[in-house]
Amino acid sequence: MTAPAANPAVTTREVPFAVLLAGLLALFSLGTTVPWYLGLGVSAGVVAAATWIRARVPDPGREVAGVLVLGAFVVLAASAAPTPGPILLGGAASLALLVWYAEDPRETPGGALRAAPSLLIAVFVLSVGTVSAFFLPSRNAVVGIAAGLFVFSIVLLSVFFGRPDLLDRNRAANP
């Protein structure tokens, strides 16, 4: 007789993505008015907790992991300076979040590679925002374009989360 299967643990294939997300979120926090020690603690703690939740919590509660990370983004973005540095780091951290989210521990390995075509849209949006942040003359234009790109990315994410088959056509069946 075999022992029942244990809950899946955090695997080694998702650790690099979690470290990348925590590192970029911590760098983003340094460009905000949040004290550096609090920003670094929140970044590391939220990503660690979210990674643990994704690996250990059963299906109905797993969505809390994404909400935790998005909550940290909201807190940090609300206190970020509208300068090119934090805008660039926030965009890079957002891309890291999408890659981290694509590499689900309960799916077959390679989720980030399978999601690469969809992630290219987000990379394009980030590149447009970065170019506009560095080359447009006024601060108001940077904030306006960043707000427009933010709205566009939220609409795009809502479409992708509403239709997960668009993101990952080769999705494995969950047990």
Side-chain angles (χ1 to χ4, degrees):
M1 187 163 234
T2 60
N7 286 340
V10 176
T11 61
T12 57
R13 69 181 167 95
E14 65 186 308
V15 170
F17 299 110
V19 169
L20 177 69
L21 175 60
L24 286 172
L25 195 59
L27 285 174
F28 177 54
S29 74
L30 294 176
T32 65
T33 58
V34 175
W36 67 270
Y37 52 88
L38 188 59
L40 295 179
V42 165
S43 300
V46 163
V47 173
T51 301
W52 183 85
I53 287 171
R54 278 181 15 142
R56 294 286 186 169
V57 175
D59 253 349
R62 291 180 63 215
E63 290 79 18
V64 174
V67 172
L68 283 175
V69 178
L70 286 175
F73 266 109
V74 167
V75 168
L76 293 174
S79 61
T83 58
I87 290 172
L88 179 63
L89 289 171
S94 299
L95 285 177
L97 172 65
L98 293 176
V99 171
W100 173 81
Y101 206 73
E103 192 60 47
D104 194 342
R106 296 189 185 196
E107 300 289 337
T108 56
L113 289 176
R114 284 192 309 272
S118 300
L119 291 172
L120 285 177
I121 296 171
V123 169
F124 174 72
V125 170
L126 178 64
S127 64
V128 168
T130 302
V131 168
S132 66
F134 283 113
F135 294 116
L136 288 177
S138 91
R139 288 178 90 157
N140 292 336
V142 172
V143 172
I145 289 177
L149 290 175
F150 178 71
V151 169
F152 175 72
S153 64
I154 292 298
V155 168
L156 190 66
L157 284 175
S158 65
V159 168
F160 283 152
F161 287 137
R163 298 263 326 265
D165 58 316
L166 293 175
L167 278 176
D168 193 3
R169 295 181 191 267
N170 298 327
R171 188 169 223 166
N174 287 335

